[in-house]
Amino acid sequence: MQIILVLSAVALCVLAHFGGKGASPAPLSADQKAEIKAKVQAQLAALSTEAQTAGNQIITAFEANEGNQEATKAAVEHILSTVSDSVKQELVSILPGGRHFLPHHKPSTTSV
């Protein structure tokens, strides 16, 4: 769940960074969306095959659910639930802020 919150925050940062300054960035034009997608895909190309696949699935989820934040969140959460922590770290490494956005928590252990 923490990674979803992190990715949501990062998505907002990306939109604010590419969409303009201020609390409410202007809606992105088709050209701006294409430019952002191309940059992310170029960065994905340097990652492992698994991270590339997950990254492209996340891009597709954002495009398919544009304007529906809950559906996007659910889709991204599902995608991330199927990948390893190392793949999640690879994906976070290409996002603005890099490792700053990694969740800082102790691994959970269960008591018997």
Side-chain angles (χ1 to χ4, degrees):
M1 185 62 172
Q2 289 178 341
I3 195 79
I4 296 302
L5 295 174
V6 168
L7 286 175
S8 296
V10 170
L12 291 174
C13 290
V14 169
L15 291 175
H17 177 73
F18 288 104
K21 305 293 181 206
S24 297
L28 298 176
S29 69
D31 289 341
Q32 289 172 315
K33 289 177 187 178
E35 181 182 341
I36 292 168
K37 183 177 178 179
K39 286 180 181 180
V40 170
Q41 287 177 324
Q43 291 175 320
L44 279 175
L47 303 182
S48 69
T49 303
E50 295 85 5
Q52 289 177 31
T53 300
N56 284 318
Q57 289 173 342
I58 290 170
I59 290 169
T60 300
F62 271 95
E63 291 174 338
N65 298 301
E66 187 173 350
N68 186 340
Q69 187 175 6
E70 288 302 314
T72 301
K73 178 181 172 184
V76 171
E77 185 175 64
H78 173 73
I79 293 163
L80 292 176
S81 72
T82 66
V83 299
S84 67
D85 287 341
S86 64
V87 169
K88 290 174 192 171
Q89 289 181 359
E90 283 187 80
L91 291 170
V92 169
S93 75
I94 67 168
L95 300 173
R99 300 217 180 276
H100 170 73
F101 291 106
L102 283 174
H104 299 287
H105 66 281
K106 295 180 183 177
S108 59
T109 56
T110 55
S111 301
V112 180

